[in-house]
């Protein structure tokens, strides 16, 4: 193939060869890959995508928790084309451009409380990295230079750059890159299904989990702890929903010890939970919100960090935040974000998620008749199905068993059934679902039937 060959018209043979010889895929084991065994996705429309062989898949993961408005939206392509013709690129380093201004104002007006300053990034990990750097400089600028440590939850994923990875609570994702940035610590997450404390009282369990944050602050010394990073609904481990009162208790603890609360909403913002921000759904006020993914429905790379007036104050009065990136706040990405948010609002997708989330849950709960299904949990359009060896005792599969079931059987059968979702064994084995916000009962039924097929096949091999 020459460099000028149109990539859209690659033959299957050429695509397989390039996958085998040149493409370095993300989070993908390459041992044994021939190239022919990697699906090449060539088209999307609504809730579906197609591969180069013409096979259709229901996108039950919205790409990667991102494609809120569905695939193939001409409005977003047209917004990008219009902006490209007018101003294709210019940085925000001492300059501004109209689409960044319009989007910053829109986000500031939508954000809860006084999160009136918006710092644009390119990705969710970069948003987390930006927030931690900003927090460190903020405390130095306000005369508290020893406050630099960060608390996050066990298993929580916050990104792959060295700072964000340090905040991440997944040991297996970190081992090959250590030593990482010091000064991070972990507290329990809120998987009530696996609770060992207050197992009969969900609200009390939430208070217990929140109080572990205060315990960590006091152990480290409040004069050293800068921030707590929490997702509204924790992704890794399978959609851990906060118990009632959990975030209100965390907010009280943070206020008591002069610790900032960062709501990492890279997945949860812009409709995934039926609201523009997860903090609104659960009724708490963060000091910073980190976002990306659904801001543009994945059509163009963009993230944003929303910052309270209090945190911005030193930068209003003499401090310079020596941080940025070439493409943060890219004009085309900002234009796509504006058009994407227009679609979300004009089509009432937040209300659509809230109206349909109970039906989504009820459809997935039909899977409880399978002995391998231990728990169905989540909220909005963000759910997980946890697999167990023994439903009565909640006995877990061994690591080897979980890998065999998820990677060796379930993933293959989900693919065969035409469902793109996540079969994740980074903690307990779960199947995760986060479909485009446009989905309705017909897609819920498709997901349930595909999962049932995959799990029934797995059961026959146990």
């Amino acid at each position: 193939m020459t460099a000028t060959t149109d990539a859209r018209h690659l033959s299957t043979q050429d695509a397989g060869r390039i996958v085998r010889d040149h493409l370095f895929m993300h989070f993908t084991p390459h041992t044994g890959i021939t190239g022919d065994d990697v699906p090449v996705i060539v088209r999307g429309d609504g809730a579906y995508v197609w591969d180069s062989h013409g096979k259709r898949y229901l996108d039950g993961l919205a790409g990667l928790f991102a494609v809120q408005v569905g695939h193939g939206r001409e409005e977003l392509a047209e917004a990008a084309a219009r902006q490209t013709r007018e101003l294709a690129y210019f940085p925000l380093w001492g300059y501004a451009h109209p689409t960044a201004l319009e989007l910053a104002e829109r986000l500031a007006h939508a954000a809860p409380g006084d999160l009136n300053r918006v710092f644009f990034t390119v990705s969710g990990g970069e948003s987390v990295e930006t927030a931690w750097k900003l927090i460190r400089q903020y405390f130095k600028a306000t005369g508290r230079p020893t406050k630099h440590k960060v608390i996050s939850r066990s298993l929580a994923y916050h990104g792959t750059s060295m700072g964000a990875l340090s905040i991440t609570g997944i040991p297996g994702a970190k081992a090959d890159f250590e030593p990482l940035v010091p000064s991070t610590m972990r507290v329990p997450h809120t998987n009530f299904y696996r609770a060992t404390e207050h197992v009969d009282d969900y609200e009390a369990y939430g208070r217990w989990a929140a109080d572990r944050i205060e315990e960590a602050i006091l152990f480290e010394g409040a004069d050293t702890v800068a921030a707590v990073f929490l997702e509204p609904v924790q992704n890794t481990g399978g959609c851990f929903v906060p118990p009632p009162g959990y975030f209100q208790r965390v907010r009280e603890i943070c206020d008591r010890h002069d610790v900032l609360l960062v709501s990492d909403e890279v997945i949860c913002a812009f409709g995934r939970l039926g609201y523009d921000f997860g903090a609104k759904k659960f009724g708490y006020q963060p000091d910073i919100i980190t976002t990306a993914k659904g801001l543009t429905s994945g059509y163009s790379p963009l993230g944003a960090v929303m910052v309270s007036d209090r945190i911005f104050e030193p930068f209003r009065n003499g401090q310079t935040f020596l941080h940025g990136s070439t493409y943060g706040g890219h004009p085309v990405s900002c234009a796509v974000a504006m058009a994407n948010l227009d679609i979300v609002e004009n089509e009432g997708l937040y209300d659509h998620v809230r109206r349909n989330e109970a039906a989504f849950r009820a459809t997935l709960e039909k899977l409880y008749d399978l002995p391998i299904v231990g728990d169905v949990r989540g909220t909005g359009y963000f759910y997980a199905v946890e697999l167990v060896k023994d439903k009565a005792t909640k006995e877990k599969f061994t690591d080897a068993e979980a890998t065999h079931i998820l990677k060796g059987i379930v993933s293959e059968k989900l693919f065969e059934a035409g469902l793109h979702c996540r079969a994740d064994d980074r903690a307990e084995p779960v199947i995760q679902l986060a479909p485009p916000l446009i989905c309705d009962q017909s897609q819920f039924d498709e997901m349930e039937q595909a999962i049932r097929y995959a799990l029934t096949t797995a059961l026959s091999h146990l």
Side-chain angles (χ1 to χ4, degrees):
M1 186 186 77
T2 67
T4 57
T5 299
D6 190 336
R8 293 171 298 178
H9 300 133
L10 283 171
S11 69
T12 300
Q13 183 179 12
D14 276 337
R17 177 181 56 77
I18 294 169
V19 167
R20 185 192 66 231
D21 295 344
H22 300 296
L23 185 63
F24 203 156
M25 290 177 286
H26 299 204
F27 286 98
T28 302
H30 287 70
T31 303
I33 283 181
T34 66
D36 300 331
D37 47 359
V38 174
V40 179
I41 304 301
V42 298
R43 184 169 68 89
D45 183 34
Y48 299 90
V49 295
W50 284 259
D51 69 18
S52 55
H53 298 287
K55 181 178 175 65
R56 190 186 80 163
Y57 306 85
L58 171 58
D59 186 1
L61 203 64
L64 194 61
F65 310 103
V67 188
Q68 315 294 63
V69 301
H71 297 274
R73 300 300 297 246
E74 292 290 339
E75 307 97 306
L76 301 188
E78 290 166 2
R82 283 195 303 272
Q83 183 58 44
T84 300
R85 287 191 292 268
E86 187 168 318
L87 177 66
Y89 168 70
F90 210 77
L92 294 177
W93 295 41
Y95 298 86
H97 53 73
T99 53
L101 294 173
E102 292 165 3
L103 183 58
E105 183 175 51
R106 186 172 190 166
L107 293 176
H109 287 169
D114 68 341
L115 275 64
N116 290 317
R117 288 285 169 166
V118 181
F119 188 101
F120 288 115
T121 69
V122 177
S123 69
E126 188 188 334
S127 291
V128 170
E129 195 85 19
T130 297
W132 193 9
K133 288 181 70 176
L134 178 64
I135 289 164
R136 283 191 167 201
Q137 187 170 347
Y138 165 76
F139 279 116
K140 284 182 170 62
T142 54
R144 292 162 287 176
T146 61
K147 291 179 77 71
H148 62 277
K149 297 176 184 176
V150 166
I151 294 170
S152 60
R153 291 185 289 205
S154 172
L155 299 179
Y157 177 84
H158 294 285
T160 56
S161 59
M162 294 299 275
L165 185 60
S166 301
I167 298 172
T168 289
I170 308 170
K174 305 165 76 160
D176 287 340
F177 310 103
E178 293 173 333
L180 296 171
V181 181
S183 307
T184 67
M185 65 218 73
R186 245 56 62 204
V187 294
H189 49 62
T190 60
N191 182 5
F192 188 56
Y193 180 68
R194 292 290 177 189
T196 57
E197 303 281 343
H198 304 287
V199 295
D200 297 318
D201 189 332
Y202 190 36
E203 193 166 344
Y205 172 71
R207 289 195 301 272
W208 171 86
D211 286 345
R212 303 288 71 74
I213 294 174
E214 183 164 44
E215 184 177 82
I217 292 171
L218 294 173
F219 180 82
E220 294 292 328
D223 61 333
T224 71
V225 179
V228 179
F229 279 67
L230 303 174
E231 298 166 275
V233 175
Q234 183 171 316
N235 172 33
T236 305
C239 300
F240 301 154
V241 178
Y246 172 82
F247 272 107
Q248 288 69 31
R249 185 81 156 208
V250 172
R251 180 72 268 179
E252 292 171 5
I253 291 166
C254 288
D255 288 342
R256 185 155 55 242
H257 299 291
D258 190 24
V259 171
L260 300 180
L261 174 56
V262 180
S263 189
D264 183 357
E265 306 209 15
V266 171
I267 288 176
C268 291
F270 309 116
R272 182 56 48 202
L273 307 183
Y275 293 80
D276 46 6
F277 297 102
K280 289 184 179 179
K281 179 181 180 76
F282 296 115
Y284 64 94
Q285 180 59 55
D287 299 293
I288 293 175
I289 292 178
T290 56
T291 69
K293 294 187 184 290
L295 178 55
T296 64
S297 279
Y299 280 64
S300 190
L302 186 67
V305 181
M306 279 155 279
V307 179
S308 72
D309 289 342
R310 173 168 68 105
I311 295 172
F312 183 71
E313 190 62 26
F315 304 94
R316 185 196 301 274
N317 294 306
Q319 288 284 319
T320 299
F321 187 34
L322 295 176
H323 177 76
S325 62
T326 302
Y327 296 120
H330 194 287
V332 175
S333 294
C334 289
V336 171
M338 290 291 288
N340 176 62
L341 295 177
D342 285 344
I343 293 172
V344 170
E345 293 174 10
N346 294 340
E347 298 184 3
L349 292 183
Y350 298 148
D351 288 338
H352 178 77
V353 170
R354 292 197 293 269
R355 283 195 308 270
N356 286 281
E357 63 179 327
F360 190 13
R361 175 187 285 275
T363 303
L364 294 176
E365 287 179 342
K366 293 178 182 179
L367 297 166
Y368 274 135
D369 66 351
L370 299 175
I372 198 173
V373 174
D375 194 29
V376 174
R377 55 180 177 262
T379 187
Y381 273 26
F382 193 26
Y383 280 91
V385 178
E386 181 173 330
L387 310 182
V388 293
K389 194 169 186 176
D390 186 302
K391 184 178 293 194
T393 64
K394 302 182 184 179
E395 181 184 355
K396 303 177 183 182
F397 290 103
T398 67
D399 290 346
E401 289 170 336
T403 298
H404 171 64
I405 291 167
L406 283 180
K407 308 300 185 186
I409 304 172
V410 172
S411 292
E412 177 184 332
K413 294 304 175 181
L414 291 170
F415 174 79
E416 183 180 307
L419 176 62
H420 169 241
C421 60
R422 169 176 271 177
D424 191 354
D425 63 350
R426 289 178 294 180
E428 315 314 330
V430 297
I431 297 172
Q432 278 189 290
L433 298 157
L437 309 186
I438 59 174
C439 288
D440 57 24
Q441 187 62 51
S442 62
Q443 282 85 33
F444 303 158
D445 290 337
E446 280 187 64
M447 286 184 268
E448 188 272 337
Q449 290 161 16
I451 295 169
R452 179 175 295 277
Y453 167 70
L455 295 183
T456 300
T457 304
L459 279 168
S460 71
H461 287 79
L462 293 178

